[in-house]
Amino acid sequence: MNRIVLGVAGGIAAYKAAALCSALVQCGDEVDVVMTADAERFIGALTFAALTRRPVHTSLWQAPEMIPHIALAREAAAVAVVPATANVLAKLAHGIADDLLTNVALATRAPLILAPAMNTAMYEHPATQANLRTLQERGAHIVAPEAGFLAERESGVGRLAERDVIVAALRDVLARSQELAGTRVLITAGPTREALDPVRFLSNASTGTMGIELAREAIARGADVDLVLGPTVVEPPFGARVVRVTTADEMCAATLARAAGANIAIASAAVADWRPALAQARKVKKEDAPPALALERTPDILAALGERKNGTFLVGFAAETHDLEAHAREKLVRKHLDAIAVNDVSDPASGFGTGDNEIVLLWDGGREALGRGPKRALARSMWNVLARLRAARSNG
Ligand code: C5P
């Protein structure tokens, strides 16, 4: 049994929230319905009260001594807003909390599921699309509307997703949100910069996206996440403890300092392998270019994690351009890893600095090709396998 807050906003699809509510009750969930004032113009609170046999919440001021928004937010295993109107999406995206529903959504740490329903033009408007992107980046789960007949008597995108699609999305989110509960995950991501002088550095094309997506997915699965992040403009996920670093030395110190309590560590950072042996304290004039650049090795953070690992499930990446799997298997053994994700960086359409990737996951005695796709989807597939492998490891 899960305690679910069902937020109902004011759109014509509000009547469909009653069927959803009934389905959840029949699944054994305890449903607290929170309605906006506009939702009450479309459907009566009585309908939800009868379906749930629980009080329906329509105002912050019904029983203020109960501090209803905090109580509901804390007790919920998930908050689902069905239908989510353009107005509610805009408010949630900007953190506006001017009624009970938006207060609950802001106050909760539980997963947020949003099922938008509205007129096609409103849905396709760049403002709505930007709000949806913002919410998704922040970890909200969007159940996309379908194309079909709308109240305006025309066909278009914006029709609320089917009841069973929303129920399945909610079940999936709830199952995932428990999977890594109580697990500490440490992730390194992004490039490092190794200074030549105060304005020049050696680095690489990594944006940290793969590690950031792995962190986002781990949070969605209930993990407690430390993200050690090199220089990037890509936003880390809401809910991660982020340590910003610049050099390999800084990344190494920050990572090792957090390694002891980590149940799972994933090294996705593209750490610079060499640094200038001498970093000039003052900017070098272009006329004074050195004839050659002496380099020295940076610390291998993953190898250091492998050497001192004490029960941590350790995952590395192998960005290769040839003999991918042979090199990766060698690394798996040499760095004491439990799994390694291999990606082909010779392909310009995947890998460093792109939105897509192609990953094969290898472990002792096993292999799973995760295919090619957006890094967010791959992060999800990767965690599906990693969670399974780790569970098998701790049970065995
Ligand atoms: O040995 P190689 O650099 O190819 O190994 C790649 C893996 O090792 C990646 O998981 C990367 O994050 C990690 N690594 C590291 N510190 C380094 C170099 C690589 O943690 N200095």
Side-chain angles (χ1 to χ4, degrees), residues 24 69 77 83 115 158 163 181 224 237 242 245 266 268-269 285 361:
L24 296 176
H69 61 298
R163 183 197 67 180
D224 185 21
V242 182
V245 296
I266 305 181
S268 71
K285 295 276 175 216
L361 208 53

Coordinates of all heavy atoms in Angstrom, one line a residue, residues 24 69 77 83 115 158 163 181 224 237 242 245 266 268-269 285 361:
L24 N -6.6 3.6 -8.4 CA -5.6 3.6 -7.4 C -6.1 3.0 -6.1 O -5.5 2.1 -5.4 CB -5.0 5.0 -7.1 CG -4.3 5.6 -8.3 CD1 -3.9 7.0 -7.9 CD2 -3.1 4.8 -8.7
H69 N -0.2 21.3 4.1 CA 0.7 21.1 3.0 C 1.9 20.3 3.4 O 2.4 19.5 2.7 CB 1.1 22.4 2.3 CG 1.8 23.4 3.2 ND1 1.2 23.9 4.3 CD2 3.0 24.0 3.1 CE1 2.1 24.8 4.9 NE2 3.2 24.8 4.1
A77 N 4.1 8.9 -0.7 CA 5.2 8.2 -1.4 C 5.4 8.7 -2.8 O 6.4 8.6 -3.4 CB 4.8 6.7 -1.5
P83 N -5.4 16.3 -13.9 CA -4.5 16.7 -15.0 C -3.6 17.9 -14.5 O -4.0 18.6 -13.5 CB -5.5 17.3 -16.0 CG -6.7 17.7 -15.2 CD -6.8 16.8 -14.0
A115 N 0.8 14.7 -15.3 CA 0.1 14.3 -16.5 C -0.5 15.5 -17.1 O -1.7 15.9 -16.7 CB -0.9 13.2 -16.2
G158 N -2.6 17.0 -26.5 CA -3.0 17.7 -25.3 C -4.0 16.9 -24.5 O -4.4 17.3 -23.4
R163 N -5.9 6.4 -18.5 CA -5.8 6.0 -17.1 C -4.7 5.0 -16.8 O -3.9 5.1 -16.0 CB -7.1 5.6 -16.6 CG -7.2 5.3 -15.2 CD -8.4 4.4 -14.8 NE -8.2 3.1 -15.4 CZ -9.1 2.1 -15.3 NH1 -10.2 2.3 -14.6 NH2 -8.9 0.9 -15.8
A181 N 16.9 3.1 -2.1 CA 16.7 3.8 -0.8 C 17.8 3.3 0.2 O 18.1 2.1 0.3 CB 15.3 3.5 -0.3
D224 N 21.2 8.3 -2.1 CA 21.8 9.5 -1.5 C 23.1 9.7 -2.3 O 23.9 8.8 -2.3 CB 22.1 9.1 0.0 CG 22.7 10.3 0.7 OD1 22.4 11.4 0.3 OD2 23.3 10.0 1.7
P237 N 21.9 17.5 -11.2 CA 20.5 17.3 -10.8 C 20.1 17.8 -9.4 O 21.0 17.8 -8.5 CB 20.3 15.7 -10.8 CG 21.7 15.2 -10.6 CD 22.6 16.2 -11.2
V242 N 26.6 18.2 -4.5 CA 27.6 18.4 -5.6 C 28.9 19.1 -5.0 O 28.8 20.0 -4.3 CB 27.0 19.3 -6.7 CG1 27.9 19.5 -7.8 CG2 25.7 18.7 -7.2
V245 N 34.9 20.7 -8.7 CA 36.4 20.7 -8.7 C 36.9 21.1 -10.1 O 36.1 21.1 -11.0 CB 36.9 19.3 -8.4 CG1 36.5 18.9 -7.0 CG2 36.4 18.2 -9.4
I266 N 30.8 5.3 -9.1 CA 30.8 5.2 -10.5 C 31.8 6.4 -11.0 O 31.5 7.5 -10.7 CB 29.5 5.5 -11.2 CG1 28.4 4.4 -10.6 CG2 29.6 5.4 -12.7 CD1 27.1 4.6 -11.2
S268 N 32.7 8.3 -13.9 CA 32.4 8.6 -15.3 C 33.2 9.8 -15.8 O 33.1 10.2 -16.9 CB 30.9 8.8 -15.5 OG 30.5 10.1 -14.9
A269 N 34.0 10.4 -14.9 CA 34.7 11.6 -15.2 C 35.8 11.3 -16.3 O 36.4 10.2 -16.3 CB 35.4 12.2 -14.0
K285 N 53.6 35.0 -22.3 CA 53.5 35.9 -23.6 C 53.5 35.0 -24.8 O 54.3 34.0 -24.8 CB 54.6 36.9 -23.6 CG 54.5 37.9 -22.5 CD 53.5 39.0 -22.9 CE 53.3 40.0 -21.7 NZ 52.0 40.5 -21.6
L361 N 27.8 -2.8 -21.3 CA 28.2 -3.0 -20.0 C 28.8 -4.4 -19.8 O 28.3 -5.4 -20.3 CB 27.0 -2.9 -19.1 CG 27.1 -2.4 -17.6 CD1 27.9 -1.1 -17.6 CD2 25.8 -2.2 -17.0

